[in-house]
Amino acid sequence: MIIRALLAVVSVCALPHSAHCVVKKHHTAVTTMYYQNASRVGGTALAGYPLLRVGYGVTSNLEAFYDAPSELAVSAHGPHYEMTHSGIGATAAVAQDGNVDFLLTAQSRPPLSPLANLYVLPLSDLHLTVAWSELSGTDFSAQVGTLNFIATNRGHRRSSVFDSLTGLTPIGNGTWFSGQLGMQSNATYGSAGETRGIASLKRAVGANTLFNVDLGTAFNAGGNSKPHYLGAGFTFLH
């Protein structure tokens, strides 16, 4: 079904680590999103948009994607605007066992997460996703990977490990709810790790479009930052 394909390619809160499968061969998926965040610690806040990603199915097992530059409106230490770098990457379906898929994703210049510390400048990431479906229609995915970044407050290159567990379940005709719990070590240079949670409501709008609203929060302060955010966006499949 087209709607299940949409759900498979849509990102949770526009995070790069959330795709559950590759885009079908010679098809295109476009996701875009706006979010506004704030931090209960450190006094930071920002808005990010358009968070535009274009994915193309190169083969039946390989998707290439492009992240366009986005603008960050930062209100910390005086309002100012910053443009993020564009990024490229690919996701490959490396194995399948029954209803379980194994996916490997590599990316240069991944976008900044709405829950990331503002002193993090992402350079690259590599992660493995294991996704599986239940007979009830509920889908699950688990991820583990590493993020390489520059801590701009120190000028040091660092790497951190992240993991997440996501569940997606239908709650009505054309409507789904998803929840994600995750962790990232070394939120920035010399800081503790960050645990986070994201809730998302998704609604089919026509045959080829999916609308989602996300709410996310960090459960602990890491690197003088404890952000939460609200975001909304669309996924278009062609």
Side-chain angles (χ1 to χ4, degrees):
M1 294 175 59
I2 290 179
I3 295 303
R4 284 192 66 84
L6 280 167
L7 288 170
V9 299
V10 71
S11 294
V12 177
C13 79
L15 289 173
H17 319 307
S18 303
H20 295 169
C21 75
V22 298
V23 178
K24 291 181 66 175
K25 183 178 180 180
H26 300 326
H27 283 246
T28 302
V30 179
T31 63
T32 185
M33 192 168 186
Y34 169 88
Y35 71 83
Q36 175 72 56
N37 87 349
S39 177
R40 294 175 58 188
V41 178
T44 59
L46 63 84
Y49 50 90
L51 298 173
L52 178 68
R53 170 173 288 187
V54 180
Y56 178 74
V58 180
T59 71
S60 58
N61 296 315
L62 178 65
E63 172 195 343
F65 56 85
Y66 168 75
D67 287 314
S70 294
E71 185 170 72
L72 300 180
V74 186
S75 60
H77 312 298
H80 62 282
Y81 296 87
E82 300 179 8
M83 289 296 295
T84 66
H85 294 276
S86 61
I88 58 173
T91 297
V94 294
Q96 185 178 44
D97 183 11
N99 64 337
V100 181
D101 294 304
F102 298 84
L103 313 169
L104 185 64
T105 300
Q107 183 176 10
S108 173
R109 295 288 189 178
L112 183 70
S113 162
L115 294 174
N117 189 286
L118 290 181
Y119 292 116
V120 169
L121 176 61
L123 297 177
S124 65
D125 79 49
L126 178 69
H127 61 272
L128 176 69
T129 303
V130 181
W132 65 98
S133 301
E134 301 292 333
L135 293 177
S136 63
T138 299
D139 297 331
F140 295 97
S141 68
Q143 287 186 341
V144 62
T146 180
L147 173 70
N148 299 307
F149 63 91
I150 293 178
T152 57
N153 58 333
R154 298 289 186 93
H156 291 269
R157 290 176 178 262
R158 303 287 292 177
S159 64
S160 64
V161 175
F162 62 84
D163 59 45
S164 66
L165 178 63
T166 303
L168 176 91
T169 188
I171 59 173
N173 185 26
T175 306
W176 297 262
F177 173 81
S178 72
Q180 182 185 92
L181 295 175
M183 178 279 297
Q184 180 182 340
S185 67
N186 301 329
T188 185
Y189 183 86
S191 75
E194 177 187 89
T195 56
R196 56 186 64 169
I198 300 167
S200 180
L201 188 67
K202 307 178 190 297
R203 174 71 181 178
V205 183
N208 301 303
T209 304
L210 190 72
F211 174 71
N212 63 285
V213 177
D214 302 335
L215 181 65
T217 187
F219 298 126
N220 67 299
N224 196 34
S225 178
K226 189 179 183 296
H228 52 274
Y229 83 96
L230 177 65
F234 289 90
T235 294
F236 308 95
L237 186 66
H238 174 69

